[in-house]
Amino acid sequence: KAEKGKGKKGKDAAAKTPGIGVEPVTGARDFYPEDMRVRNWLFGAFREVADRFSFQEYDAPVLEHEELYKRKAGEEIVDQMYNFEDKAGFKVTLRPEMTPTLARMILGRTNDKGETKMLLPVKWFSIPQCWRFETTQRGRKREHYQWNMDIVGVSSITAEVELLAAITTFFTNLGITAKDVGIKINSRKVMGGIMKAKGVSDEQFAAVCVIVDKLDKIGPDAVMEEMQTKCNVPGPTAKSIIEAMSARSLAELQTQCDGLNLGPEAKASVDELKSLFSMAESYGFADFLIFDASVVRGLAYYTGIVFECFDRTGELRAICGGGRYDRLLSLYGAQSEIPCVGFGFGDCVIMELLEMKGLVPPLERETDFLVAAFNADMLGPAMKVAGMLRASGACVDFQGEPKKKIGQTFDYANRIGARLIALVAPGEWDKGMIRIKNLRSDNKDTNQKDVLLADVAKWRDLTWE
C-alpha cells in the first residue's frame, strides 16, 4: 500500500510539472492558419501592385553583417538591433531594415570601375521580416514584415512619383481613400538649405534630422534641448529650426525661404517639390498628398524628398515612409553616387487600419474535395481517387480514418470548407464509378452524381442544376 501511495504521489507530481511556454517571445507573433490566410491576402495585395508597376521581387538572409547598420548619426535603429557575435567570431544582426541589404546586393553587381552590371533602372521589391528590440505598443512589434519598393538609377523626381503612385494604388485597391489617409511630403535638401542658412553645419545636419524626427514623439522643447546637448546647436538656432518645421504648404515654405540666403541646390529642391505635386495631379493621386516641413525621417541616409503616410484620425503610428538616398551606396564603397529612392511599408499598422475600417474580407478555409472511403477496405481506391483529383489541379483533403457515420464525414467536410465530397464505396467502385456530392447545393435531387473513374479529372465540368 505504501508503494502504491508513493506511485500515486509521483504521478500527481509529474502531472503538475509545467510544460513549455506556449506564447511566442515578447514582441513576436505566431501565425496560425487563419492568421496566415490574412497575411497571405495582404502580401498578395502588395505583390499585385509591385507586379503592376513592373518591379522584380528579391530576398536575402534575415541575418546580416552588423557593420551595415553601424552609422554615427545617433539613429535609434543602431541601439535596437538584435546583434551578436556568431560562433565564428563574426558580428552579425537580425536585419532591422532592408535598405542596407539592397545596397549591399546592388554593390555586389558592380564592376571594378563602380559601374553596375545590371540594366538600369533597377526596380525591385521585397517583403522581408525585420527585427528591432524596442518597446512594443499598438502597431509596433519587435518583428514585422515590411513591403519595400526601391528604384535605383533614376535621379529625377519621376522615381518618387512612381513610388507614391504605387502606394496610393495599393490603398485604392483595398478601399482606403484620401479621406482615410494622407502622405506628408518634404525635402531634406530644402531643410538642409534652411538649416545651413540658420547656422547648422553639414556635419551636424544628419544628426539634427534624427532628433527633429522625434518632434511628434517627445515635443518641441525636448527636441530643442537634444539639439543643444547632442549637436551643439545654439538655443536661438534650435528654436528657429522648430519654427521652420511649422510650414504646412508650399506657399508657407516659400515664405520661410524668402528671407534666407539659400544655396542653389536648396532653391532647385523647392521647384522639385512643386513638380512632384504637379505630377501627382497628372497621375491622379494628388488628393493623398500634403506638404509638411516637420517630416525629415529618422534615418541619416536620406538626401532628398522624404515622405510619410499617416491615418487622418491620428490614432495610429506612421503607416509607411521613405525617400531618396543617393549617397548610401557611396558610403558602402561605391566609387560614385548612385541615385536611389524607396519606401518601407510595415504590415502591423496597415492591418490595424484595415480592421478599423472593416476592410479585411472574410477568409475562410477553402477546399475543393474531401475524399472519403466507405470503410478500411476502400482506402486504397480512395487514395487513387485523391491522387487523380490532385493531378487535375484540385485541392483535396483525404480522410485517412473512415467514419462509422456519414454525418461525421459531412461535418468534417464543412469544417474544412470543402465544396465537394468524393465518396468511394464498393457498390459504385465495382461499376468503375465514384459518388460526388455537392455540399453547396440545397437541391437534394441534383446535388450528387455518380461519375465514371475515367471522368474524375473533368470534375469542373459537372453541372448541379
Side-chain angles (χ1 to χ4, degrees), residues 140-157:
R140 171 163 285 188
K141 311 292 183 185
R142 288 179 177 171
E143 57 80 19
H144 69 283
Y145 288 87
Q146 189 176 80
W147 176 35
N148 287 260
M149 289 180 67
D150 294 84
I151 298 176
V152 179
V154 177
S155 57
S156 76
I157 200 72

Side-chain angles (χ1 to χ4, degrees), residues 41-347:
W41 167 78
L42 178 66
F43 289 10
F46 288 154
R47 287 193 170 94
E48 180 184 352
V49 172
D51 289 343
R52 197 180 298 178
F53 279 71
S54 192
F55 278 64
Q56 298 182 88
E57 187 167 8
Y58 74 102
D59 199 5
V62 69
L63 197 63
E64 261 293 5
H65 305 292
E66 183 189 76
E67 63 182 345
L68 279 180
Y69 307 94
K70 285 289 188 180
R71 300 181 290 265
K72 298 179 180 180
E75 298 161 310
E76 288 182 341
I77 197 171
V78 175
D79 298 322
Q80 294 171 347
M81 291 192 295
Y82 278 85
N83 53 333
F84 57 95
E85 188 173 296
D86 69 13
K87 294 180 180 180
F90 295 104
K91 292 183 178 180
V92 295
T93 182
L94 298 180
R95 64 177 169 230
E97 59 159 332
M98 196 65 167
T99 305
T101 295
L102 172 74
R104 176 179 62 75
M105 293 175 68
I106 295 294
L107 285 174
R109 292 285 180 88
T110 56
N111 59 27
D112 294 339
K113 297 179 181 179
E115 301 166 335
T116 180
K117 301 175 185 176
M118 296 178 290
L119 176 67
L120 294 178
V122 169
K123 298 171 70 177
W124 287 0
F125 83 96
S126 61
I127 312 175
Q129 187 182 37
C130 301
W131 292 81
R132 297 186 187 184
F133 191 86
E134 55 186 335
T135 303
T136 59
Q137 52 189 288
R138 184 182 182 187
R140 171 163 285 188
K141 311 292 183 185
R142 288 179 177 171
E143 57 80 19
H144 69 283
Y145 288 87
Q146 189 176 80
W147 176 35
N148 287 260
M149 289 180 67
D150 294 84
I151 298 176
V152 179
V154 177
S155 57
S156 76
I157 200 72
T158 56
E160 283 90 336
V161 174
E162 193 77 350
L163 293 178
L164 291 167
I167 293 170
T168 54
T169 297
F170 169 83
F171 287 140
T172 302
N173 287 354
L174 268 59
I176 297 172
T177 71
K179 293 181 180 179
D180 301 317
V181 300
I183 304 176
K184 299 175 181 178
I185 309 290
N186 195 14
S187 170
R188 277 276 188 103
K189 286 182 180 178
V190 175
M191 291 302 106
I194 290 174
M195 290 188 194
K196 190 169 186 178
K198 291 179 179 293
V200 175
S201 68
D202 292 340
E203 291 73 23
Q204 292 172 307
F205 176 65
V208 168
C209 283
V210 170
I211 295 170
V212 170
D213 187 60
K214 304 175 187 178
L215 192 59
D216 290 339
K217 186 187 300 184
I218 64 177
D221 292 340
V223 167
M224 284 190 289
E225 183 180 346
E226 283 199 21
M227 279 194 277
Q228 294 174 71
T229 57
K230 295 184 178 181
C231 300
N232 297 317
V233 175
T237 302
K239 184 178 180 180
S240 68
I241 289 171
I242 295 297
E243 291 172 352
M245 300 294 106
S246 66
R248 293 295 180 270
S249 70
L250 290 177
E252 290 181 24
L253 175 66
Q254 190 66 61
T255 300
Q256 291 274 7
C257 295
D258 286 343
L260 298 173
N261 183 24
L262 296 184
E265 187 178 63
K267 290 180 180 178
S269 296
V270 174
D271 293 334
E272 191 177 57
L273 279 168
K274 294 176 182 177
S275 295
L276 185 148
F277 279 84
S278 176
M279 291 178 186
E281 287 281 359
S282 299
Y283 238 132
F285 63 83
D287 52 342
F288 281 92
L289 306 188
I290 63 170
F291 175 78
D292 189 331
S294 69
V295 174
V296 292
R297 303 292 294 159
L299 296 172
Y301 52 66
Y302 287 118
T303 57
I305 295 292
V306 288
F307 51 87
E308 195 168 276
C309 183
F310 66 100
D311 81 290
R312 294 191 185 269
T313 66
E315 292 184 40
L316 304 175
R317 301 178 59 84
I319 299 169
C320 69
R324 181 166 288 276
Y325 53 99
D326 288 349
R327 299 193 189 108
L328 183 60
L329 273 71
S330 59
L331 289 176
Y332 290 157
Q335 296 185 19
S336 59
E337 288 187 7
I338 300 176
C340 304
V341 62
F343 68 78
F345 194 128
D347 67 322

Side-chain angles (χ1 to χ4, degrees), residues 423-435 450:
L423 297 168
V424 185
E428 290 79 22
W429 188 258
D430 290 343
K431 300 174 186 177
M433 308 179 83
I434 63 168
R435 179 160 294 174
D450 289 344

